[in-house]
Amino acid sequence: MYIAILVTFWAWAALELALLVRDLMRGMGGTSQDRGTRRLLALSYLVSIAAAVAVGRLLTGSAWRLGPWHQAAGLAFLLAGLTIRIWAVVVLGAAFRTTVEVDVGQAVVDSGPYRWVRHPAYTGLLLVGAGIGLAVGNWLSLVVLILLPLPAMLRRIAVEEVILTKVMGASYTAYQARTKRLLPGLW
């Protein structure tokens, strides 16, 4: 199980690197509208993963320890998060960027995972974080991996939605009215 978790984690890391390289090779990924959110989000995940692993090593055998199911649950969350993130990237296609950037004339995408939430790629990231937290094996690591990156993600979403509304106008506002941000049916 441990090997499957590591392979899935590194597949996620490779995906993120590949998306960044793809943007650079296409001359995309400009940061003029991003307001530092790509860097902030990446840094928040790096710090939270390091903190969760450190906490996991410190709390081995404590009351914070999860049950024997934690690795299977962690792998399931990692796989679900990676799948949703890839699905979101594929559905957006060339419009997906690692920075906040919207092409003039770009249409609202409301198919695939975008029919349920406006930011499924971030939903996938939240699930990946929860999966890593579960795989580490204690409740505190799980909390760290969900809550520490959350402010950066919410900042990113706020910046992104301003740009999307500015560029897409009424069609994006209508889309906002009928879909949730990150969690289908909830928020």
Side-chain angles (χ1 to χ4, degrees), residues 66-125:
L66 295 170
W69 51 269
H70 74 90
Q71 284 190 332
L75 179 60
F77 272 73
L78 269 165
L79 289 169
L82 185 58
T83 300
I84 290 169
R85 185 142 172 92
I86 291 169
W87 188 18
V89 170
V90 167
V91 169
L92 268 188
F96 185 90
R97 312 271 167 64
T98 60
T99 56
V100 175
E101 211 174 349
V102 182
D103 296 325
V104 175
Q106 182 177 321
V108 171
V109 174
D110 60 1
S111 59
Y114 294 92
R115 73 183 134 205
W116 295 297
V117 292
R118 295 193 300 273
H119 305 283
Y122 302 142
T123 302
L125 280 179

Side-chain angles (χ1 to χ4, degrees), residues 36-51 148-149 152:
T37 61
R38 175 176 64 186
R39 199 173 308 131
L40 181 63
L41 191 58
L43 183 62
S44 73
Y45 268 94
L46 289 172
V47 168
S48 66
I49 290 168
L148 192 60

Side-chain angles (χ1 to χ4, degrees), residues 44-68:
S44 73
Y45 268 94
L46 289 172
V47 168
S48 66
I49 290 168
V53 169
V55 164
R57 291 180 185 207
L58 289 173
L59 296 179
T60 302
S62 76
W64 287 93
R65 198 88 188 130
L66 295 170

Side-chain angles (χ1 to χ4, degrees), residues 45 48 77 126 129-131 133 140-151:
Y45 268 94
S48 66
F77 272 73
L126 285 173
L140 192 53
S141 291
L142 176 60
V143 169
V144 163
L145 272 155
I146 292 172
L147 293 184
L148 192 60
L150 195 56

Side-chain angles (χ1 to χ4, degrees), residues 9 12 49 52-53 74 77-78 127-137 141 145:
F9 172 82
W12 168 60
I49 290 168
V53 169
F77 272 73
L78 269 165
L127 290 170
V128 165
I132 296 167
L134 287 166
V136 168
S141 291
L145 272 155

Side-chain angles (χ1 to χ4, degrees), residues 118-181:
R118 295 193 300 273
H119 305 283
Y122 302 142
T123 302
L125 280 179
L126 285 173
L127 290 170
V128 165
I132 296 167
L134 287 166
V136 168
N138 68 70
W139 290 108
L140 192 53
S141 291
L142 176 60
V143 169
V144 163
L145 272 155
I146 292 172
L147 293 184
L148 192 60
L150 195 56
M153 185 177 291
L154 295 177
R155 170 83 174 122
R156 168 92 170 192
I157 288 170
V159 168
E160 194 169 301
E161 290 200 333
V162 166
I163 301 300
L164 288 164
T165 302
K166 182 179 173 183
V167 174
M168 296 180 177
S171 62
Y172 190 74
T173 304
Y175 176 63
Q176 283 179 303
R178 67 179 186 271
T179 55
K180 300 296 183 183
R181 278 185 186 94

